[in-house]
Amino acid sequence: MKFYLLSVYLLLFLFFTTNVSRIECTNILLTKQYPFCFTENLSPNTPLALHFTAPDIRQSAGEFISIKITDPFGYTLKEEHVSQTTKQTYHLKAKEDISGEYKICFTFYPSDLRAIYLDVKVEVDFDHHESQQVEKQDRIERLNDLLSNLKEQIRMIGDEQSYFKTREERFRETTDSTYTRTFWLGAVKFLLISILTVWQIMNLRTFFKKKKLI
């Protein structure tokens, strides 16, 4: 009971004096569903590492801690429920065009009226940021290689399409030429056959007249 009253007094003191404080590495007391918040003044693109451990949390009882991180304009960057007793680490980075007070809040949801201590450490995470930059550079290089391969494949496909188009045009020209020659050859044959037919009819007519058959 005394521990509970002490926790309530401490909570009221924190609430009426300042509900938002700055910490780097400390233990904070979390009571039931009362958020404890602190701020970090970050410049644009500043990487940050948030480490915290809740060794007294009861996973079997369904207890958890809610963590919420917002930018200076109140936009939520991360919100998550944590129930592990092991050390948790979150990496985040200030936005490119926003500097100011980034707010980090912890809220404890216990199974009964009790409080726990949370070990919290906040540090600028240049190592993680640099490793991310290296990883991004590697990804960019892989993407560049992939794009180069795609360009080469597209060029080869374009060359094949040009070759097939040229072959199709030549085949069409050959087909048109063959059709034209076939047409004129047929026309000449028809004309010759017509002339020969008329000539043969005239010869037969003359022959029959000479024989006085007609």
Side-chain angles (χ1 to χ4, degrees):
M1 186 66 181
K2 290 183 180 180
F3 180 78
Y4 173 69
L5 291 176
L6 179 62
S7 301
V8 173
Y9 291 150
L10 180 59
L11 176 64
L12 292 175
F13 173 76
L14 292 173
F15 181 81
F16 286 108
T17 56
T18 174
N19 193 38
V20 178
S21 59
R22 288 187 180 87
I23 64 174
E24 292 182 356
C25 181
T26 187
N27 293 333
I28 60 176
L29 181 65
L30 296 179
T31 55
K32 183 176 181 180
Q33 298 184 6
Y34 286 98
F36 182 93
C37 301
F38 61 91
T39 61
E40 288 292 332
N41 193 348
L42 302 178
S43 302
N45 285 327
T46 302
L48 192 70
L50 174 64
H51 311 280
F52 65 92
T53 307
D56 298 328
I57 197 169
R58 299 171 184 169
Q59 292 179 296
S60 58
E63 297 181 345
F64 64 90
I65 295 174
S66 174
I67 175 173
K68 184 177 182 180
I69 304 173
T70 56
D71 65 8
F73 296 101
Y75 178 77
T76 301
L77 300 178
K78 188 176 188 64
E79 186 171 7
E80 188 172 338
H81 294 166
V82 179
S83 59
Q84 290 84 1
T85 57
T86 57
K87 183 178 180 180
Q88 303 294 313
T89 300
Y90 292 100
H91 300 279
L92 63 147
K93 187 173 68 171
K95 294 183 177 180
E96 295 182 358
D97 54 348
I98 299 178
S99 63
E101 301 289 339
Y102 284 75
K103 188 176 180 181
I104 304 173
C105 292
F106 294 94
T107 306
F108 179 46
Y109 293 87
S111 57
D112 52 17
L113 296 177
R114 73 187 192 94
I116 63 171
Y117 283 96
L118 187 68
D119 298 327
V120 179
K121 181 180 181 182
V122 180
E123 60 183 357
V124 177
D125 192 12
F126 287 112
D127 293 336
H128 181 74
H129 179 65
E130 290 175 358
S131 63
Q132 281 190 331
Q133 292 296 328
V134 173
E135 184 177 356
K136 289 180 179 178
Q137 186 65 29
D138 292 339
R139 289 180 181 177
I140 291 174
E141 291 178 357
R142 288 197 296 268
L143 287 175
N144 287 333
D145 294 339
L146 179 61
L147 289 176
S148 299
N149 293 332
L150 288 176
K151 288 181 180 179
E152 182 64 21
Q153 292 180 5
I154 291 173
R155 186 190 64 80
M156 294 175 61
I157 292 173
D159 293 341
E160 290 181 359
Q161 288 180 341
S162 299
Y163 167 74
F164 285 119
K165 183 178 180 181
T166 303
R167 191 176 71 172
E168 183 181 357
E169 289 176 353
R170 278 189 280 183
F171 178 76
R172 185 183 296 114
E173 291 175 356
T174 303
T175 303
D176 294 341
S177 176
T178 303
Y179 173 78
T180 303
R181 286 181 291 180
T182 303
F183 172 79
W184 286 113
L185 181 61
V188 170
K189 285 182 179 180
F190 176 78
L191 182 60
L192 290 175
I193 292 172
S194 298
I195 293 172
L196 289 174
T197 301
V198 172
W199 177 78
Q200 189 174 12
I201 291 173
M202 293 300 293
N203 284 338
L204 288 173
R205 185 182 180 89
T206 304
F207 174 75
F208 287 143
K209 280 184 178 181
K210 286 180 180 183
K211 297 295 181 176
K212 296 181 180 182
L213 297 175
I214 56 174

